[in-house]
Amino acid sequence: RTAAEIPDAASLDRGRCQTTLSQLMQVLPRYANLVAVDAEGWLVCSGVPAPDDTPRRINPTYYFDRMKQDGRLTVGYPSSSSFVTERRIVGISQPLFGSRRELRGALVLAVDLLRFSLEMPANVHLRYFLLAGNGAVVTTNYQPQDLVASQPALSPFFDLMPGAEPQLIDVPGPDGAMYLVAKAAVPGYDWTMIAAIAKQDALSEAYRQLWRSSAIHAGILLLGISLSFWLSRQIAVPIKDMAETIMRIQKGLRVRFIERGPAEIQALARQANIALDVAQQRDKLLHIADQRLAFAIEANQDGVWDWDIASGRVDYSERWLSMLGYGPGEIEASLDGLRHLVHPDDDPMVKAAVETHLAGQSPHFTTEHRMRHKNGHYVWVLNRGAIVDRDAGGEPTRLVGT
């Protein structure tokens, strides 16, 4: 097709055509020859020069009738020719048409079938046969000297597989062995490809693949087991230790995280131990502060109340209860229980002072008001309080006072 697009090659002028085809032969394989013929099949020029000036003509019956009918690249049947060799060839022909679509001639690639077969890749197990429409072997890797020769020869499996449809059969071969044979048509041409492999060879290869696959799978399984054991030792065990340490800390035990395992887990345990040290130091300081506050309150004979705003619970110290004549558990531990003891005339003033402080309008609050004694009379008290804790949003959650 490419050569037909070159004006000098398609001109059918002997001098110009001969030069161009000789140049094209430099890129063609040695088992092929590119020639040009006129509309009667007579040789005009040849990439491999003819040995003498004797006129040479190809049989136009098949080629030219087919090219006139299809007007396209045509692949012929094996035939004898002296264009390349005295052996059999296949001609692949590209028609050359004139301005009125009349056939002027053709460019023919003549392929030496035996040399082509001998240069095809070898396969010790697979036998393949490319057959022309008349059943003649075009190329094969099975005894090409006998099957691709001067006389038409058929594939040993051709008669066993009649018809054009694709087939796969299990049949005895010419050597007596059982073969798996497949046949399929070559799209666009009346050619057929037959491939055959001895069942023993096919099964041997299948067994080799099976054993190879089994060995690979066994290796992967062993690697997976080893990796799982390694991960268990390196990751799972340290994480389990950390989980157990957290449970001990939640129970109030003073323990530390074990720094072992991969570097990332060791770093995590190290940071957790630092956080534990900070928390324990903070708890120690808070305990000291609580002791100092308790000593100060006890020295001043002040009573203490503690209001958890989120839960509504109010706790009272023993000194606070004794000021009003009560003992532990005799006053409801809630805000309502506390307000129930405030004199009704003083309640609005106390409530306003507390709400002003909760709104952030005062650093603390102080009130002087009356509270009902257990015996029924009222006593005057000096009440001071302040917010001591807030949530993440800044809202007060705890109020403590004396």
Side-chain angles (χ1 to χ4, degrees), residues 242-312:
M242 294 185 69
E244 292 176 350
T245 302
I246 292 174
M247 294 177 63
R248 293 191 182 100
I249 293 173
Q250 291 174 342
K251 293 179 180 179
L253 301 177
R254 296 179 64 85
V255 294
R256 298 180 64 79
F257 291 95
I258 302 174
E259 298 179 15
R260 69 174 179 177
E264 294 82 359
I265 295 182
Q266 291 187 31
L268 179 62
R270 191 176 304 115
Q271 293 298 320
N273 285 329
I274 293 174
L276 279 178
D277 293 339
V278 172
Q280 291 172 359
Q281 183 65 22
R282 182 194 61 188
D283 291 342
K284 181 177 180 181
L285 294 175
L286 287 176
H287 179 67
I288 294 174
D290 288 343
Q291 284 183 328
R292 290 174 178 173
L293 178 60
F295 291 152
I297 291 174
E298 183 177 354
N300 290 329
Q301 293 295 299
D302 288 342
V304 179
W305 54 266
D306 187 342
W307 176 25
D308 186 336
I309 300 175
S311 66

Side-chain angles (χ1 to χ4, degrees), residues 35-347:
V35 301
V37 297
D38 61 18
E40 301 298 326
W42 290 100
L43 177 67
V44 176
C45 58
S46 172
V48 177
D52 52 49
D53 294 333
T54 303
R56 290 174 171 80
R57 185 184 186 189
I58 66 172
N59 183 0
T61 303
Y62 177 83
Y63 292 102
F64 288 84
D65 290 346
R66 185 71 176 270
M67 286 190 293
K68 289 178 182 178
Q69 175 182 346
D70 298 341
R72 64 182 180 89
L73 190 73
T74 301
V75 182
Y77 291 150
S79 61
S80 298
S81 173
S82 59
F83 291 156
V84 178
T85 175
E86 295 301 327
R87 293 191 293 262
R88 299 178 68 77
I89 67 165
V90 160
I92 304 174
S93 306
Q94 174 67 33
L96 300 174
F97 292 101
S99 58
R100 298 180 180 179
R101 293 296 296 172
E102 74 279 8
L103 184 66
R104 299 172 42 245
L107 290 175
V108 182
L109 183 67
V111 179
D112 182 337
L113 296 184
L114 179 58
R115 183 175 293 180
F116 176 71
S117 296
L118 294 175
E119 294 196 12
M120 289 294 288
N123 189 309
V124 296
H125 299 304
L126 181 66
R127 314 298 188 196
Y128 61 83
F129 308 86
L130 180 61
L131 310 179
N134 61 356
V137 177
V138 177
T139 183
T140 180
N141 67 343
Y142 177 71
Q143 300 178 359
Q145 294 88 343
D146 297 331
L147 298 180
V148 184
S150 58
Q151 297 296 325
L154 301 180
S155 160
F157 302 99
F158 182 76
D159 294 334
L160 301 175
M161 308 181 74
E165 69 279 358
Q167 297 182 50
L168 176 63
I169 61 175
D170 184 358
V171 297
D175 54 2
M178 294 301 294
Y179 279 78
L180 294 173
V181 185
K183 183 187 79 170
V186 178
Y189 301 96
D190 58 348
W191 286 25
T192 302
M193 175 64 79
I194 292 179
I197 184 171
K199 289 185 66 175
Q200 181 178 359
D201 294 335
L203 294 177
S204 297
E205 181 64 24
Y207 287 138
R208 282 194 293 271
Q209 293 290 344
L210 177 61
W211 280 109
R212 187 180 299 114
S213 176
S214 299
I216 292 174
H217 290 166
I220 293 174
L221 179 60
L222 181 59
L223 177 62
I225 294 174
S226 302
L227 182 60
S228 298
F229 180 75
W230 182 85
L231 289 175
S232 175
R233 293 293 301 273
Q234 296 295 318
I235 299 178
V237 172
I239 290 179
K240 180 181 178 182
D241 290 343
M242 294 185 69
E244 292 176 350
T245 302
I246 292 174
M247 294 177 63
R248 293 191 182 100
I249 293 173
Q250 291 174 342
K251 293 179 180 179
L253 301 177
R254 296 179 64 85
V255 294
R256 298 180 64 79
F257 291 95
I258 302 174
E259 298 179 15
R260 69 174 179 177
E264 294 82 359
I265 295 182
Q266 291 187 31
L268 179 62
R270 191 176 304 115
Q271 293 298 320
N273 285 329
I274 293 174
L276 279 178
D277 293 339
V278 172
Q280 291 172 359
Q281 183 65 22
R282 182 194 61 188
D283 291 342
K284 181 177 180 181
L285 294 175
L286 287 176
H287 179 67
I288 294 174
D290 288 343
Q291 284 183 328
R292 290 174 178 173
L293 178 60
F295 291 152
I297 291 174
E298 183 177 354
N300 290 329
Q301 293 295 299
D302 288 342
V304 179
W305 54 266
D306 187 342
W307 176 25
D308 186 336
I309 300 175
S311 66
R313 179 180 178 82
V314 180
D315 292 316
Y316 317 97
S317 69
E318 292 185 5
R319 174 57 183 161
W320 189 96
L321 291 170
S322 66
M323 287 181 179
L324 300 177
Y326 293 97
E330 293 183 345
I331 298 178
E332 181 183 347
S334 67
L335 185 62
D336 290 339
L338 178 61
R339 291 184 62 184
H340 181 69
L341 300 175
V342 178
H343 193 285
D345 294 340
D346 298 338
D347 183 67

